[in-house]
Amino acid sequence: MKVDVLLGLQWGDEGKGKVVDVLTPSYNLIARFQGGPNAGHTLEFEGIKHVLHTVPSGIFRADAINVIGNGVVIDPIVFAAELDKLTPFNIDLKSRLLISKKAHLILPSHRLLDAASEQSKGSKKIGSTLKGIGPTYMDKTGRNGLRVGDLFSPSFESKYAELREKHIRMLDHYADFSYDLSDLEKEWFQKIDRIKSLTCIESEHYINAALKQNKRILAEGAQGTMLDIDFGTYPFVTSSNTVTAGTCTGLGVPPSAIGKVIGIFKAYCTRVGSGPFPSELDNETGEAMRKEGREFGATTGRPRRCGWLDLVQLKYAIMINGVSELCMMKADVLGIFEDIMICEAYEIDGQIVTEFPYDVNDLHIVPVLTKMEGWKADLTGLTSYSDAPQALKTYVDYLEKQLGVPITMVSVGPDRAQTLLK
Ligand code: GDP
Ligand code: IMO
Ligand code: MG
């Protein structure tokens, strides 16, 4: 058996949570491999809307085991609040939610450092979710971090105190940043007991054993390819590898164990936070998309920037990830437009460019747009792809041809049921 990977191909919020939930009945194990509470994955079913941040999106399906892998960073406070919201669903978390001992902990001071760093950047700020993600991964690669396994160590408190001291010295460098750590810390220490009460394991052994036992495994990505620390629009990115390769380091599975790579994209494009966005529509059309698509962040509530689908960007993401099949989300949202545009290339200083450029942050990019006929229809009640309007089928066929990868799923609404298999 192989590990199938599901990840976002744009700037996050593509609808990964929904698709994981839809696909979970075909899997035994769902594993998050990177990111942390910066993620907000929305699931809707039976009239319930639920947002997950750290917990994998397979948690609502009976029988599936959910693993938080070593590549994830966990904030005990956010995590405990997330678990509280799961209480009404009577899920046996002790057996259904497993946590890697190698996952790193987000300390209260990491959150402060994130806020102080963003404040100091002024207009150059990344637009971070302020969840402490960057500073936590910095401590991980700087070999200073605290891991879930450390919670069980007799020297945990002294390890914590050492890192806290270091952070306070760093915070002292930010002249205009004032803070109060005490309340946050008190809550943090209460909430680490929630993590300790769950099943903390060496998940790389568990997952590789599951592979040997022919269990079906789905790795759930967070964020999106253009937010990847190496391949995204640096420095306007997150601090982990969001791409397929991140599955290997974030779960401890070898590259030879990777099976299908399922790439999730919206029928258009969104971005929340700062940074380049070549096909952005900073106008009424973008506003209409935001309204129709309810494009507001699941974690921070910030309005998402909207734009047309960008094939230069999408082809780049497909290349980096080795995508083998695609899911196109939010097709229903484009139902309001007479014409739909697709960005096919960038015009930069009079030159036509079709490869995603290195210095995208500094270039003046004019998107080269192709016009497609809109379907001008409400798709939200559709139950079969064969009943879809011809204009939608033409859009899908065109994308498959341009991208060279089959689109196997078209999503026409937020609910689990509003999913068309092709
Ligand atoms: P994720 O971070 O990739 O899991 O995506 P988010 O949950 O942050 O954002 C996707 C949003 O779109 C959520 O509010 C979903 O409920 C919603 N959604 C997902 N698929 C569809 C769809 O096909 N149509 C519509 N209208 N909404 C969708
Ligand atoms: P999901 O998993 C969309 C963005 C932030 C910011 C940048 C860095 O729901 O798709 P960070 O807090 O990671 O230091 O922020 O990345 N960002 C996301 N945007 N969806 C997400 O996750 C995101 N996680 C981080 O807005 O621009
Ligand atoms: Mg999201």
Side-chain angles (χ1 to χ4, degrees):
M1 273 296 170
K2 303 261 183 186
V3 177
D4 291 343
V5 182
L6 182 149
L7 38 71
L9 297 179
Q10 296 161 322
W11 279 278
D13 303 327
E14 295 88 351
K16 299 174 289 295
K18 167 175 169 167
V19 184
V20 172
D21 173 59
V22 167
L23 296 181
T24 298
S26 312
Y27 289 92
N28 305 109
L29 201 158
I30 311 297
R32 273 279 301 273
F33 58 92
Q34 46 68 233
N38 48 350
H41 294 183
T42 315
L43 285 68
E44 286 195 38
F45 53 90
E46 294 157 19
I48 297 165
K49 176 174 167 171
H50 203 94
V51 181
L52 295 167
H53 301 287
T54 324
V55 174
S57 300
I59 198 72
F60 294 107
R61 299 286 202 171
D63 303 330
I65 302 289
N66 291 263
V67 176
I68 298 176
N70 57 279
V72 175
V73 292
I74 305 177
D75 182 331
I77 297 179
V78 181
F79 186 54
E82 202 176 334
L83 298 183
D84 286 344
K85 289 208 181 116
L86 292 175
T87 311
F89 298 94
N90 289 319
I91 301 162
D92 179 12
L93 294 175
K94 186 96 182 153
S95 65
R96 298 263 318 280
L97 181 62
L98 314 177
I99 306 170
S100 168
K101 284 189 183 170
K102 293 194 169 87
H104 277 248
L105 292 169
I106 302 177
L107 271 55
S109 40
H110 283 131
R111 263 156 77 168
L112 296 177
L113 283 165
D114 200 359
S117 162
E118 283 287 77
Q119 183 183 298
S120 73
K121 286 192 164 124
S123 63
K124 292 198 179 109
K125 64 164 66 83
I126 308 290
S128 132
T129 59
L130 301 178
K131 302 290 178 194
I133 304 294
T136 306
Y137 279 111
M138 279 165 74
D139 273 334
K140 174 179 177 174
T141 51
R143 297 164 294 183
N144 292 307
L146 288 181
R147 303 189 289 180
V148 167
D150 291 323
L151 294 172
F152 302 92
S153 156
S155 56
F156 175 70
E157 296 218 353
S158 68
K159 285 181 180 169
Y160 175 89
E162 219 173 283
L163 190 52
R164 177 190 194 273
E165 269 317 298
K166 181 188 147 210
H167 290 166
I168 285 176
R169 285 197 301 275
M170 288 164 76
L171 285 165
D172 286 345
H173 288 289
Y174 294 99
D176 298 327
F177 187 76
S178 56
Y179 61 89
D180 180 6
L181 198 50
S182 49
D183 283 352
L184 261 180
E185 258 185 333
K186 209 165 128 200
E187 195 182 355
W188 195 86
F189 272 94
Q190 283 163 3
K191 298 299 159 73
I192 57 176
D193 288 338
R194 286 299 285 285
I195 298 185
K196 288 167 85 173
S197 74
L198 294 173
T199 308
C200 301
I201 59 164
E202 290 171 51
S203 56
E204 63 276 29
H205 290 292
Y206 182 87
I207 292 174
N208 280 287
L211 272 173
K212 283 217 172 90
Q213 292 159 15
N214 285 331
K215 300 277 191 225
R216 293 184 51 94
I217 302 175
L218 180 66
E220 173 180 2
Q223 290 77 56
T225 302
M226 304 317 286
L227 293 171
D228 179 88
I229 183 72
D230 283 280
F231 299 106
T233 48
Y234 192 89
F236 300 100
V237 293
T238 190
S239 297
S240 62
N241 281 118
T242 62
V243 296
T244 304
T247 311
C248 296
T249 53
L251 295 179
V253 293
S256 55
I258 302 296
K260 290 197 279 191
V261 179
I262 305 163
I264 314 295
F265 72 103
K266 278 177 188 165
Y268 49 100
C269 229
T270 65
R271 168 163 211 169
V272 62
S274 332
F277 182 178
S279 66
E280 181 169 14
L281 292 162
D282 191 10
N283 57 20
E284 278 172 17
T285 310
E287 187 59 48
M289 252 181 218
R290 178 159 42 248
K291 191 158 168 261
E292 187 66 16
R294 303 210 180 102
E295 294 294 358
F296 295 89
T299 296
T300 59
R302 291 177 292 176
R304 295 176 182 145
R305 300 154 64 193
C306 296
W308 296 119
L309 188 65
D310 180 345
L311 294 190
V312 180
Q313 176 278 306
L314 201 51
K315 284 177 185 169
Y316 177 73
I318 289 170
M319 174 184 80
I320 298 290
N321 290 301
V323 172
S324 55
E325 57 189 83
L326 292 160
C327 301
M328 186 174 91
M329 311 304 287
K330 303 192 99 162
D332 53 304
V333 175
L334 294 187
I336 57 170
F337 296 112
E338 207 70 56
D339 297 317
I340 295 170
M341 302 294 180
I342 300 177
C343 171
E344 305 257 3
Y346 300 155
E347 189 185 323
I348 302 169
D349 294 334
Q351 303 278 348
I352 298 298
V353 172
T354 53
E355 272 185 16
F356 199 78
Y358 167 79
D359 40 1
V360 61
N361 299 333
D362 307 318
L363 295 169
H364 178 64
I365 296 177
V366 181
V368 179
L369 301 172
T370 296
K371 184 157 56 171
M372 305 281 289
E373 188 195 334
W375 38 93
K376 284 295 284 173
D378 178 2
L379 305 181
T380 54
L382 276 183
T383 50
S384 156
Y385 184 72
S386 55
D387 298 333
Q390 187 50 47
L392 171 63
K393 289 181 179 162
T394 306
Y395 188 75
V396 169
D397 291 348
Y398 183 77
L399 293 181
E400 282 187 328
K401 205 159 142 236
Q402 294 297 313
L403 300 169
V405 182
I407 297 176
T408 55
M409 182 190 285
V410 176
S411 175
V412 292
D415 195 275
R416 197 188 253 182
Q418 292 169 306
T419 310
L420 311 178
L421 299 181
K422 228 176 107 255

